[in-house]
Amino acid sequence: MSDASPRGLELLTFRVAEQEYSLDIMSVREIRGWTRTTPMPHAPDYMRGVINLRGTVLPVMDLARRLNLPSQETNDRNVIIVVKMNGTLTGLLVDAVSDIVAMSEEDLQPPPDIASDPQMSVVRALTVIDDRMIRVLDLGAVVPRTTDEVA
Amino acid sequence: MSLTVLAVDDSRTMRDMIRMALLPAGFTVHVAEDGIDGLEVLDGIEPDAIITDINMPRMDGFGFIDAVRAQERRRGVPILVLTTESAPEMKSRARQAGATGWIVKPFDPTKLVKALQMVAG
Amino acid sequence: MTDHNDPMAEIKASFFIECEELLESLQDGLQEMDEGSEDPETINVVFRAVHSIKGGAGAFGLEELVRFAHRYETVLDEVRAHRLDADSEAHKLFFAAADHLSDLVRASRDDLPMPVAESDRLLTSLEALLGDLPDEEVRPEDFEPLGVTLSLDLPDLSDMEAADGTGETDHDAPAEAAGDGWIIRFKPEAELFDTGNEPQMLIRNLCALGEATVTCDLSDLPSLDRLAPETPYLCWTISLSTTSDEGELREVFEFVDGLCELSIRRAGAAPLEAAGQARTLEIAPPPATPAAVPAPEAAPPQSAPALTDAAPPPVEDGADTPARKSKETGAKSVVRVDLERIERLVNLVGELVINQAMLSQSLGEAGLSPHSDAMNGLEEFQRLTRDIQDSVMMIRAQPVKSLFQRMSRIVRESSAAVRKDVRLVTEGESTEVDKTVIERLADPLTHMIRNSVDHGLESPDSRRAAGKPPQGTVRLTAAHRSGRVVIEVSDDGGGIDRKKVHQVAISKGLVPPDLPLSDNEIDNLLFLPGFSTASQVSSLSGRGVGMDVVKTSIQSLGGRISIQSERGRGTTFSISLPLTLAVLDGMVVNVAGETLVLPLNVVVETLSLGPDDVQMLRPGAHVVRVRGGFVPLYDLGVMLGYRPARDTHQGAIVLLISLDDGNRAALVIDAIQDQRQVVIKGLDDSFYRAPGIAAATILGDGQIALILDPADIIAAEGPLRGAELALTQGV
């Protein structure tokens, strides 16, 4: 990615609690339908639990709760976006996946500096697609690195 | 000329080395882990030459050579002693036991082949 | 040395594996010597181990390894020859040298810089042992790693190998012009034939150096009736025209030096003696017996290049020749397998177990009769699966011996660092444990051993004052106990100073000052993060690694650690581990709608609670009466945060479990589903792992169930709850 021209990127857009968010497609490994999670005792409330991802144990995070948005009832339309961050896989529970859009870095705007807005601390940038504002998530801030941070 | 050789050494590495040195030269190589094992293996084969280590468990090289020479039909089989000792007394002990010659470890594979061809080939 | 790249690399890799084995027998042998073994084979084993390492190292040009091994071996050889009496100080040195040898092996293997200075230091000490012995016996320079003393060059190779030097021959003839003439006279003595040497072979080899005319002197041959079969009567004179120098000529006779009369002189120089009635003799292929009566008829002279053709054409390695009848090992044959392949097999078997469970479940749900063919077949399938699994696990099982040997080194080094005299006693070295477990035990065990030497054992002076022998003992044992492996590290030191430990914990704010704690609870404070009693940070343990880290690593192996200590008598740390990291015999239970797995071996019995069985100590703290005693009661659903506390446990099912410290606890669950083997899926550090959650598994329906460690989950209730319960234990 050392092109001199503005870096092109693809965003996976999805809906969480009636809002539109997106992630760099490069960090997305797969998208799978909702299955029941096994809760992990004493985990932070945004951790929904773990699921069986082809024989390995995948932790799943409720993105709405992580973003302090009202959590929705889960149903069959919910999906889990499996992302790879810091070498480990994590599932992000979202309402639904919308689209994959290509754009360049230039189309991204820095988020407004609203320190009081906890949602914004995990938003890397804003962009506009078809007149809709899309938040681009900073995955590193969404997925805590180790247990230390929540211990 | 393809020689059949019995190599007796308690070190797996050495056995591998000997095999690697001799197989490409078309030799047939049998191996044994010590003197006793060597005598057992010898029972089923007619080697053109024998290579043996000295320091081995159960039966050392000297004992092994003695035992081989005690067999009437093996009295003329060339036996080369593999030794890290270059000391003259090692050679004379080996010779007393009936060794044909000696090779000082570490050996060069081509020299080992040549030495065998010289005594047996 | 050679250009056989690939096979050499392979042999080299196998050499390093062999080195590990040799180092192991070296350690064993030294240990036996140190324990006073009189068996001469012991020192032989020790000597051979070092000797074999040297031999292989020489082949790969590992010079520092050769240098050290050679000089170490020289000293050991003196012990072997009874010229040196090794006392316990010498043994210590031998151990240190063995440790260093092992460092050198690893450094050689991993291409790391060689600790040459340490080699020199040790060699100086080692060779100081030989102080009074005659110089001649210890000439380390004797061994030249890459020296080749055998040089029997054939003519076609002589150019190429001229630079190799001519070994031990000390006849340095000036360079010869091509076709120089030599007269060689050779008269074998009787002993020559005893060594398997052949005059014909020697002459043939000599002739191969150039153009030769061979004459056989039969003048000594007696008449047939006086012919003694074992006595050689022949004398050969070879006239040779060759480019080889005298040294090369003499090399042909290297092996028979002293077993024959040999003279080599230039043609034209005066013969030393008359050649007698010379006749030419054909060089024939070697006859089978040394004393064969020579052919009386002469044949035309012949130079014999055809007979001594250099190397025959190479033959494919696998060309049926090598080893059909040969034996690589004696009775026990061994295959070396890449660990990755075994891992893969283990994983596949794991999948097989899961699949079998899933199949079981769906057939069960389909309502098949238990006597149907399908169900019978399934039963057989289950049995086979378990057999396969056991066999696969056995592949990875290894004795803990290598691990224990590493620990003996830790004891030696750490006791030297804190100037204590410490003896390590090991037991149960042959106990087998999964290889992965062994590997991951090394670090925690190292720390525990250091801890025992540093903190557990008193100084020699204090020991004497306490009426103990000045030499402290650290005991390292392993044993199989009810499906688990128990490894214990104990010392005969001063025991835990509980008062001091308690004070430290209070001063660090780890426990409230007014809370009474049982001895056991105080001991367990050592495992709290950030706890360290060493008032002076010593060079050994003060590395910022505490027993809490040890505990965490043991737990990550599905193990538990506990302490027993007696003031003045010593301290024992017990580690209890699963035999394998891959499978677990589990009890599958339901708690608040969730499925959980407990290790079957901790469950002592199951009870159904009646109205009078439970008594409340205070709100939230209950005990259950079990056969006259009281056992603390824990509601798993509450502990795991699945549901709020309930007023009554009546009708609930209770699992009575045994803890490592000998205590019991009762766990409230809703229902028991099944007892079955489950495949353990590790939870890595990215998980929010709660206390008591050891791992996870995948059930027959594809759902994940958590595997609990009951001891851990109860310990996690904290000292507060524990103190109360400790009171009830005494009831």
Side-chain angles (χ1 to χ4, degrees):
Chain A
M1 290 294 180
S2 55
D3 291 0
S5 55
R7 192 174 79 100
L9 80 166
E10 282 186 306
L11 294 177
L12 175 74
T13 67
F14 49 87
R15 284 152 49 81
V16 180
E18 314 286 309
Q19 295 191 359
E20 284 203 271
Y21 285 85
S22 67
L23 275 174
D24 189 339
I25 196 91
M26 296 304 289
S27 54
V28 175
R29 287 293 168 270
E30 65 178 283
I31 297 162
R32 44 174 299 144
W34 166 248
T35 49
R36 185 185 170 279
T37 56
T38 299
M40 290 296 286
H42 308 302
D45 71 339
Y46 55 79
M47 290 310 294
R48 282 301 285 255
V50 290
I51 61 166
N52 168 14
L53 182 73
R54 288 184 302 280
T56 64
V57 183
L58 180 79
V60 176
M61 180 186 287
D62 184 335
L63 201 54
R65 287 213 185 128
R66 179 75 182 88
L67 300 173
N68 287 311
L69 300 169
S71 184
Q72 312 285 304
E73 273 294 300
T74 47
N75 58 44
D76 288 350
R77 293 212 315 280
N78 284 115
V79 294
I80 293 169
I81 303 174
V82 181
V83 295
K84 188 163 196 178
M85 189 66 212
N86 298 323
T88 56
L89 294 175
T90 306
L92 302 176
L93 174 65
V94 303
D95 292 350
V97 168
S98 319
D99 204 358
I100 294 172
V101 286
M103 55 178 55
S104 77
E105 284 284 353
E106 286 179 331
D107 299 328
L108 303 181
Q109 300 161 21
D113 186 19
I114 310 169
S116 60
D117 187 349
Q119 288 168 43
M120 282 305 163
S121 65
V122 295
V123 171
R124 174 164 83 87
L126 299 175
T127 189
V128 174
I129 299 170
D130 300 338
D131 294 336
R132 304 191 317 271
M133 186 186 73
I134 312 265
R135 295 162 178 83
V136 183
L137 284 175
D138 176 0
L139 196 57
V142 173
V143 180
R145 252 166 227 93
T146 61
T147 42
D148 305 345
E149 298 177 32
V150 292
Chain B
M1 78 213 96
S2 162
L3 298 179
T4 297
V5 176
L6 168 65
V8 188
D9 198 309
D10 60 327
S11 158
R12 192 169 63 223
T13 306
M14 266 316 143
R15 294 196 297 271
D16 286 348
M17 296 280 300
I18 293 169
R19 235 200 306 246
M20 196 195 77
L22 301 186
L23 291 181
F27 287 26
T28 302
V29 184
H30 300 269
V31 293
E33 285 187 349
D34 57 32
I36 301 222
D37 194 27
L39 290 174
E40 280 173 21
V41 175
L42 196 57
D43 230 14
I45 60 175
E46 292 297 330
D48 300 304
I50 296 172
I51 308 171
T52 180
D53 187 25
I54 292 296
N55 269 299
M56 294 183 293
R58 300 206 293 170
M59 178 190 274
D60 69 8
F62 300 128
F64 173 66
I65 297 169
D66 249 357
V68 174
R69 290 284 183 240
Q71 300 178 18
E72 187 60 34
R73 66 193 170 112
R74 312 272 192 206
R75 291 187 51 191
V77 178
I79 304 178
L80 293 184
V81 168
L82 269 179
T83 169
T84 43
E85 276 90 350
S86 55
E89 70 262 28
M90 265 304 164
K91 290 177 192 169
S92 72
R93 274 198 70 188
R95 177 179 280 172
Q96 260 170 18
T100 309
W102 49 85
I103 292 170
V104 176
K105 287 191 279 191
F107 56 83
D108 180 323
T110 57
K111 304 228 160 160
L112 180 65
V113 168
K114 246 188 296 166
L116 285 167
Q117 285 168 341
M118 292 222 138
V119 294
Chain C
M1 232 172 72
T2 63
D3 53 356
H4 301 254
N5 282 325
D6 269 347
M8 273 307 262
E10 224 169 84
I11 296 176
K12 196 169 173 180
S14 128
F15 164 65
F16 286 121
I17 294 171
E18 187 178 16
C19 277
E20 294 296 326
E21 294 161 12
L22 292 166
L23 287 166
E24 198 170 294
S25 21
L26 173 60
Q27 282 281 356
D28 279 353
L30 288 175
Q31 191 74 41
E32 280 174 36
M33 280 168 65
D34 198 39
E35 284 160 6
S37 161
E38 298 283 331
D39 188 351
E41 182 56 17
T42 308
I43 177 69
N44 281 334
V45 166
V46 166
F47 176 84
R48 269 201 307 272
V50 179
H51 186 77
S52 294
I53 290 175
K54 179 181 84 173
F60 300 108
L62 306 170
E63 293 179 25
E64 177 61 10
L65 188 53
V66 169
R67 182 179 78 101
F68 186 80
H70 176 66
R71 289 166 66 178
Y72 183 18
E73 171 198 298
T74 307
V75 177
L76 291 171
D77 197 28
E78 294 303 306
V79 179
R80 189 168 68 146
H82 303 292
R83 285 190 294 260
L84 173 67
D85 215 5
D87 56 10
S88 73
E89 279 308 305
H91 289 159
K92 266 190 189 154
L93 210 46
F94 292 165
F95 273 119
D99 291 343
H100 185 66
L101 191 64
S102 135
D103 287 347
L104 289 175
V105 165
R106 273 161 214 161
S108 305
R109 181 189 63 196
D110 303 339
D111 271 332
L112 300 173
M114 291 292 149
V116 176
E118 177 65 8
S119 301
D120 288 338
R121 197 186 64 73
L122 277 164
L123 288 172
T124 307
S125 312
L126 279 171
E127 282 159 8
L129 295 172
L130 306 178
D132 302 337
L133 296 165
D135 253 356
E136 209 188 346
E137 303 288 353
V138 278
R139 277 219 328 274
E141 303 77 9
D142 267 2
F143 186 79
E144 296 163 33
L146 294 171
V148 173
T149 54
L150 184 88
S151 181
L152 300 165
D153 296 351
L154 296 172
D156 53 336
L157 293 170
S158 60
D159 285 346
M160 193 176 84
E161 298 192 338
D164 263 4
T166 49
E168 295 188 327
T169 317
D170 44 12
H171 302 267
D172 274 304
E176 304 292 333
D180 257 5
W182 294 89
I183 305 292
I184 298 107
R185 188 172 172 281
F186 164 59
K187 183 170 193 298
E189 290 168 5
E191 292 77 21
L192 183 143
F193 299 100
D194 294 340
T195 62
N197 278 291
E198 269 302 330
Q200 273 83 356
M201 201 72 76
L202 292 162
I203 293 165
R204 189 202 65 186
N205 293 336
L206 186 67
C207 293
L209 295 175
E211 296 278 321
T213 309
V214 181
T215 53
C216 182
D217 179 357
L218 301 174
S219 56
D220 287 348
L221 193 66
S223 59
L224 206 58
D225 57 323
R226 288 189 294 134
L227 194 77
E230 298 282 315
T231 312
Y233 299 101
L234 302 182
C235 173
W236 282 272
T237 304
I238 303 106
S239 157
L240 180 69
S241 167
T242 177
T243 56
S244 305
D245 61 25
E246 186 180 339
E248 289 165 74
L249 267 50
R250 287 201 179 268
E251 270 168 32
V252 171
F253 297 95
E254 187 194 353
F255 291 158
V256 294
D257 183 27
L259 300 178
C260 62
E261 285 173 29
L262 179 69
S263 80
I264 297 179
R265 61 181 170 85
R266 289 180 179 277
L272 290 176
E273 44 196 285
Q277 297 173 321
R279 290 194 205 170
T280 51
L281 179 75
E282 184 178 5
I283 309 299
T289 47
V293 177
E297 282 302 311
Q302 184 187 347
S303 65
L307 290 171
T308 53
D309 243 355
V315 172
E316 285 292 311
D317 267 14
D320 204 20
T321 44
R324 187 172 290 159
K325 269 189 274 179
S326 73
K327 301 165 74 176
E328 177 60 49
T329 57
K332 196 169 165 188
S333 84
V334 172
V335 182
R336 271 169 287 149
V337 182
D338 196 340
L339 194 60
E340 268 177 35
R341 293 191 191 177
I342 297 176
E343 299 295 334
R344 186 172 149 69
L345 188 59
V346 167
N347 285 336
L348 283 173
V349 172
E351 298 304 315
L352 184 65
V353 171
I354 293 174
N355 262 290
Q356 176 245 297
M358 287 183 178
L359 185 59
S360 245
Q361 186 155 343
S362 39
L363 284 180
E365 280 163 6
L368 284 178
S369 147
H371 306 295
S372 62
D373 285 351
M375 290 308 256
N376 284 336
L378 187 66
E379 216 165 273
E380 182 66 8
F381 180 34
Q382 271 170 349
R383 197 183 57 75
L384 287 172
T385 311
R386 183 173 271 262
D387 285 356
I388 292 173
Q389 195 164 42
D390 288 348
S391 311
V392 169
M393 291 308 149
M394 227 130 75
I395 299 177
R396 293 208 305 189
Q398 281 195 331
V400 293
K401 184 171 177 176
S402 59
L403 180 67
F404 278 20
Q405 283 195 339
R406 284 162 78 178
M407 293 308 127
S408 70
R409 174 175 191 173
I410 303 292
V411 169
R412 286 196 293 279
E413 288 175 352
S414 57
S415 59
V418 295
R419 296 206 173 74
K420 290 178 184 171
D421 186 8
V422 182
R423 188 169 66 111
L424 177 74
V425 178
T426 56
E427 272 171 38
E429 290 186 325
S430 58
T431 309
E432 292 199 333
V433 188
D434 192 300
K435 184 176 164 64
T436 7
V437 177
I438 290 182
E439 280 163 2
R440 288 167 63 184
L441 264 180
D443 282 348
L445 217 48
T446 300
H447 187 78
M448 290 165 70
I449 295 273
R450 282 200 180 121
N451 197 67
S452 291
V453 171
D454 198 6
H455 301 310
L457 294 173
E458 319 89 323
S459 69
D461 288 345
S462 323
R463 289 182 65 89
R464 268 190 219 101
K468 293 180 177 178
Q471 186 185 50
T473 300
V474 172
R475 191 173 287 274
L476 179 59
T477 66
H480 281 173
R481 214 173 287 163
S482 58
R484 288 173 80 84
V485 180
V486 178
I487 293 176
E488 290 189 346
V489 177
S490 56
D491 61 65
D492 65 346
I496 293 173
D497 185 345
R498 298 203 170 91
K499 208 170 153 193
K500 191 170 156 200
V501 167
H502 198 178
Q503 277 166 2
V504 169
I506 291 170
S507 73
K508 295 200 171 180
L510 299 171
V511 286
D514 48 351
L515 182 73
L517 295 180
S518 70
D519 283 356
N520 196 15
E521 280 164 345
I522 292 175
D523 294 348
N524 278 292
L525 293 174
L526 294 178
F527 293 124
L528 290 181
F531 188 94
S532 170
T533 50
S535 31
Q536 275 182 313
V537 172
S538 77
S539 58
L540 275 184
S541 314
R543 302 184 181 191
V545 183
M547 288 302 286
D548 58 318
V549 177
V550 170
K551 186 176 185 179
T552 314
S553 18
I554 298 299
Q555 281 174 343
S556 73
L557 290 170
R560 290 189 295 275
I561 182 165
S562 60
I563 316 178
Q564 296 93 42
S565 180
E566 195 178 333
R567 200 78 185 107
R569 301 288 292 277
T571 306
T572 299
F573 287 90
S574 304
I575 299 172
S576 151
L577 290 163
L579 284 177
T580 165
L581 295 180
V583 283
L584 172 84
D585 280 313
M587 175 174 276
V588 186
V589 302
N590 287 350
V591 176
E594 297 296 332
T595 306
L596 296 168
V597 179
L598 284 100
L600 194 56
N601 63 307
V602 303
V603 181
V604 180
E605 63 177 293
T606 57
L607 312 164
S608 182
L609 289 185
D612 302 328
D613 291 337
V614 178
Q615 289 182 16
M616 189 172 74
L617 289 182
R618 62 170 178 80
H622 295 82
V623 291
V624 58
R625 182 197 294 272
V626 180
R627 277 189 282 284
F630 288 97
V631 175
L633 187 73
Y634 299 88
D635 187 335
L636 267 186
V638 177
M639 291 169 97
L640 296 173
Y642 292 161
R643 67 176 168 221
R646 293 182 296 198
D647 295 336
T648 172
H649 292 296
Q650 198 182 330
I653 298 203
V654 160
L655 301 180
L656 192 63
I657 60 167
S658 67
L659 305 176
D660 283 344
D661 57 11
N663 289 327
R664 292 181 168 198
L667 299 181
V668 177
I669 59 164
D670 294 348
I672 296 171
Q673 250 186 40
D674 200 1
Q675 284 179 14
R676 75 160 85 117
Q677 212 167 36
V678 297
V679 176
I680 298 174
K681 297 282 177 183
L683 298 171
D684 62 42
D685 286 343
S686 66
F687 289 89
Y688 304 90
R689 190 181 319 172
I693 307 299
T697 189
I698 297 169
L699 296 175
D701 60 2
Q703 284 282 308
I704 288 183
L706 300 177
I707 300 175
L708 298 186
D709 179 347
D712 191 35
I713 200 168
I714 288 163
E717 286 292 284
L720 185 70
R721 181 76 196 274
E724 273 180 343
L725 289 162
L727 296 176
T728 68
Q729 302 285 342
V731 173

